[in-house]
Amino acid sequence: MDLSLPIIYNGITAEGELALAKGILRGYQINTVQLSDITSEEYTQKRAQQDGMFAADVFLATRKVVIDGGVYGSSRGDAFDLLQGWTGAFSPRVAYHADTPNVGFLPFKFYQPTDNLSTWPLNTYPNGIPLQMFLRPMIPVHYEIINNQGEDAKRGYTIHTTTTLMARDPRRYLQTPIVMDLFQGGVGTPTFPGYRGDYFSYPIWNATITSALGSAWAAYAWQPRIDGTFIGAIVVDLSTYVGKLVLDYSGRRLVDDSGVSQGQLVGSTVFAELSAHCDEFVVTPTGKPTAFVTSSITYYEAFT
């Protein structure tokens, strides 16, 4: 995370380099960001009558993010006005109401420095890798008011802040998603654009059907190839359905554009995670009828 570049959360921008107002620093500045260890959830049980443990699947859990920063005002009143903006943006309840469907986990956007210019060329990513985490404040912002802290006409006024947030999903994602048309030119094996992240990510399937497709589409399916093997087939009955459909691999639920479940259309599902080992998709049937307006996979590349 490059603290010298802008960091954005809930309408607030912490500038890497503060603006000068009559020679006085003004704005929000982040001094340090502490990314805690990520807890893991796993099943273990003692082996009977011998040393060691039984172990099963392991998954990452939450992580805590602590931001040490400061509010710089051109005057004492200006500093408190800016502080009010910061405490409002990082209020747990304000964040929750800003995006209630996602229960307040808002994008925390930043840049990560890189020398891998073949993957992240300067003409496309001039500030490094644009990443984001989805964070929600755990507690209101902590700050201290010091007695007799005078206002300096030459330096302005500063208030130190500590902001504590939580990521329910510990991954870091690219800020811009990849959208892959599953029928590129009517071909049933679309070109996979590659996966630049180093961690697993769940995609979302979107489709719009304008008229019934008939029995040939009773088992519409798509699946990725991972490590040379096609796995994770999703089969959906599109023979009579008309409208929009959304399948979120993470939520494992097929719904229409009103959020109503359309699970009766699902024949079988294997929710494979995308990763750097995924290099191809295969789709059946291979032809794209004119009634099929869209069929696409959307995903954010993820990083540890």
Side-chain angles (χ1 to χ4, degrees):
M1 186 181 301
D2 192 338
L3 301 184
S4 68
L5 295 173
I7 295 175
I8 300 172
Y9 181 84
N10 198 15
I12 289 289
T13 299
E15 300 289 351
E17 296 184 5
L18 294 178
L20 289 173
K22 297 181 180 180
I24 298 176
L25 296 177
R26 184 182 187 277
Y28 305 108
Q29 185 164 7
I30 294 177
N31 302 319
T32 64
V33 176
Q34 300 176 33
L35 300 176
S36 72
D37 294 336
I38 305 174
T39 59
S40 63
E41 298 292 336
E42 56 188 297
Y43 170 80
T44 58
Q45 184 179 18
K46 182 184 178 301
R47 296 176 65 91
Q49 304 299 314
Q50 57 183 298
D51 297 331
M53 302 285 289
F54 290 106
D57 295 349
V58 59
F59 295 93
L60 298 183
T62 62
R63 83 186 313 166
K64 185 168 71 172
V65 177
V66 180
I67 301 172
D68 177 274
V71 177
Y72 293 77
S74 56
S75 66
R76 189 169 185 268
D78 184 44
F80 275 92
D81 290 341
L82 290 172
L83 175 66
Q84 198 63 49
W86 184 272
T87 57
F90 288 92
S91 162
R93 292 208 64 201
V94 170
Y96 174 80
H97 284 283
D99 191 351
T100 304
N102 288 312
V103 290
F105 287 91
L106 308 178
F108 180 84
K109 298 183 178 182
F110 58 92
Y111 292 93
Q112 178 171 293
T114 182
D115 282 335
N116 183 6
L117 301 184
S118 60
T119 302
W120 312 101
L122 290 176
N123 62 334
T124 306
Y125 305 96
N127 296 317
I129 307 174
L131 297 177
Q132 62 184 341
M133 299 177 67
F134 293 92
L135 306 179
R136 185 177 72 187
M138 296 179 65
I139 56 176
V141 175
H142 172 82
Y143 59 93
E144 296 182 6
I145 307 301
I146 301 174
N147 188 29
N148 294 327
Q149 180 174 350
E151 179 180 344
D152 189 328
K154 294 182 179 180
R155 297 184 178 179
Y157 194 89
T158 306
I159 302 174
H160 176 260
T161 60
T162 302
T163 307
T164 306
L165 306 102
M166 179 187 70
R168 63 174 176 176
D169 181 345
R171 286 168 281 204
R172 298 172 300 149
Y173 293 95
L174 279 185
Q175 294 179 17
T176 304
I178 299 295
V179 180
M180 182 176 65
D181 180 4
L182 290 183
F183 283 101
Q184 298 170 8
V187 177
T189 305
T191 301
F192 189 72
Y195 192 95
R196 295 164 294 181
D198 63 3
Y199 201 70
F200 314 104
S201 179
Y202 284 112
I204 296 174
W205 173 70
N206 292 273
T208 301
I209 305 96
T210 58
S211 62
L213 301 176
S215 59
W217 291 81
Y220 172 61
W222 67 95
Q223 57 188 141
R225 184 176 71 179
I226 301 175
D227 287 328
T229 303
F230 286 105
I231 63 174
I234 309 292
V235 180
V236 178
D237 181 358
L238 299 183
S239 59
T240 60
Y241 184 84
V242 176
K244 295 183 179 181
L245 291 171
V246 179
L247 177 65
D248 186 340
Y249 277 46
S250 178
R252 302 192 174 196
R253 185 168 178 254
L254 180 68
V255 299
D256 60 22
D257 55 345
S258 298
V260 177
S261 174
Q262 299 296 327
Q264 75 279 2
L265 301 177
V266 179
S268 64
T269 55
V270 180
F271 295 97
E273 298 170 303
L274 301 186
S275 70
H277 300 283
C278 180
D279 62 356
E280 192 174 59
F281 267 79
V282 63
V283 183
T284 54
T286 58
K288 179 180 180 181
T290 56
F292 218 132
V293 178
T294 60
S295 178
S296 64
I297 290 288
T298 300
Y299 61 91
Y300 286 89
E301 294 158 283
F303 297 76
T304 52

